[in-house]
Amino acid sequence: MHSIIQNLDLSARGTWFPTSVGLLLLVFSLFMPKRRINWLEFYITFGIVGYVAWVSDTVVGRMLDWADLGDPKITGLGEFASYSFIPSSLSVIYLNYVKKTNKWILVILFTLLSILIEWIMMQTGYLKMKNWGFFVFSIIVYLIVFGLILPIHIKVIKKNLLHNK
């Protein structure tokens, strides 16, 4: 039992924050009224974004060693929430509310929200940046994801779902 608790990395400083935010975003994304995406688009997006987040963690956190979450030797509960629930939930929430008329307002809003989550993770001591320029790289990545990648992603899904009907 002790090894299970140790492997969850519950004693890591600030682990409460990504775990809480991840669960709150997950619950909200599951129960929000589906306006612009359906359950299949939700499911596909949640899985793809979660996969990309884990691949990014492997590259940025492990291979390049640019950042650490919690104990760098353990993939704990906070890191699991940080890569499995936070990016996926934010993505489906964004896609559920974005329209042509509010796209850039939501791109900026979700970029700011993502930056705020990342910044609080640093302030709580859970996220330690090493060679990653927080205010340069992170902002650029979030702007590209919300402004370009997610809109292309949902267009491809919608086009293929309609094509197969």
Side-chain angles (χ1 to χ4, degrees), residues 80-119:
F80 178 78
S82 295
Y83 292 113
S84 299
F85 299 145
I86 295 174
S88 297
S89 297
L90 284 173
S91 296
V92 296
I93 295 167
Y94 170 79
L95 290 174
N96 190 52
Y97 292 104
V98 71
K99 302 183 274 194
K100 286 183 181 182
T101 57
N102 68 358
K103 177 183 176 183
W104 289 106
I105 291 169
L106 288 184
V107 166
I108 291 167
L109 180 68
F110 276 78
T111 297
L112 290 173
L113 181 59
S114 300
I115 289 294
L116 179 64
I117 291 168
E118 195 172 313
W119 182 78

Side-chain angles (χ1 to χ4, degrees), residues 26 29 32 34 36-54 83-98 110 145-146 149-158 161:
L26 175 64
S29 68
M32 70 181 174
K34 306 302 180 271
R36 311 229 11 116
I37 61 172
N38 60 36
W39 279 107
L40 183 58
E41 294 160 349
F42 179 104
Y43 180 74
I44 292 168
T45 300
F46 206 90
I48 289 174
V49 171
Y51 173 76
V52 169
W54 277 103
Y83 292 113
S84 299
F85 299 145
I86 295 174
S88 297
S89 297
L90 284 173
S91 296
V92 296
I93 295 167
Y94 170 79
L95 290 174
N96 190 52
Y97 292 104
V98 71
F110 276 78
V145 166
F146 291 114
I149 294 173
L150 285 174
I152 290 171
H153 162 83
I154 199 67
K155 281 181 186 174
V156 168
I157 292 172
K158 286 184 183 293
L161 287 177

